[in-house]
Amino acid sequence: MANSLAEWTEQLRTEQRLLVKADRDIEQGSQRIRDQEDRVRELMAEGHDTRQAERLVDLLKETLAEWERHRVLIEQRVTYLRQQVEAG
């Protein structure tokens, strides 16, 4: 069943909202990484064991990479939906 222009348009709006959320999540995730890296440096300077804190930084970076990959998929979907709306 073919989607109507209204359906394509609604899907586009939904994906655009998801893209905005993804951008916000990525920025907040980047900030969390910077904050945690600051904590690691502080702990190191005070002579504390930082292995767990460093592991958290690694996990945060892995999560951020997944969010960035997901954002690319959303962006591709937005592009596709724009084409459908423009063709509709």
Side-chain angles (χ1 to χ4, degrees):
M1 178 174 136
N3 286 344
S4 69
L5 178 57
E7 291 168 326
W8 288 122
T9 301
E10 183 56 33
Q11 287 180 29
L12 176 58
R13 286 187 189 124
T14 298
E15 292 296 325
Q16 287 171 326
R17 285 190 297 271
L18 290 173
L19 188 58
V20 168
K21 182 183 181 320
D23 286 338
R24 186 175 52 246
D25 290 346
I26 288 168
E27 179 52 39
Q28 290 173 352
S30 295
Q31 184 60 52
R32 284 186 200 104
I33 290 169
R34 289 189 297 271
D35 292 346
Q36 185 64 20
E37 288 172 333
D38 289 345
R39 287 184 188 101
V40 169
R41 282 189 289 277
E42 289 170 10
L43 289 168
M44 285 178 135
E46 295 170 2
H48 295 283
D49 180 358
T50 60
R51 286 177 290 187
Q52 291 298 322
E54 290 177 67
R55 176 69 179 131
L56 179 57
V57 170
D58 291 340
L59 291 172
L60 289 170
K61 287 179 179 180
E62 289 173 19
T63 300
L64 183 60
E66 290 300 320
W67 289 354
E68 289 169 340
R69 280 192 278 280
H70 185 244
R71 187 199 179 282
V72 169
L73 294 174
I74 296 169
E75 198 170 40
Q76 290 170 348
R77 178 77 175 153
V78 165
T79 299
Y80 169 76
L81 291 169
R82 275 191 186 129
Q83 292 169 350
Q84 299 306 309
V85 168
E86 290 169 4

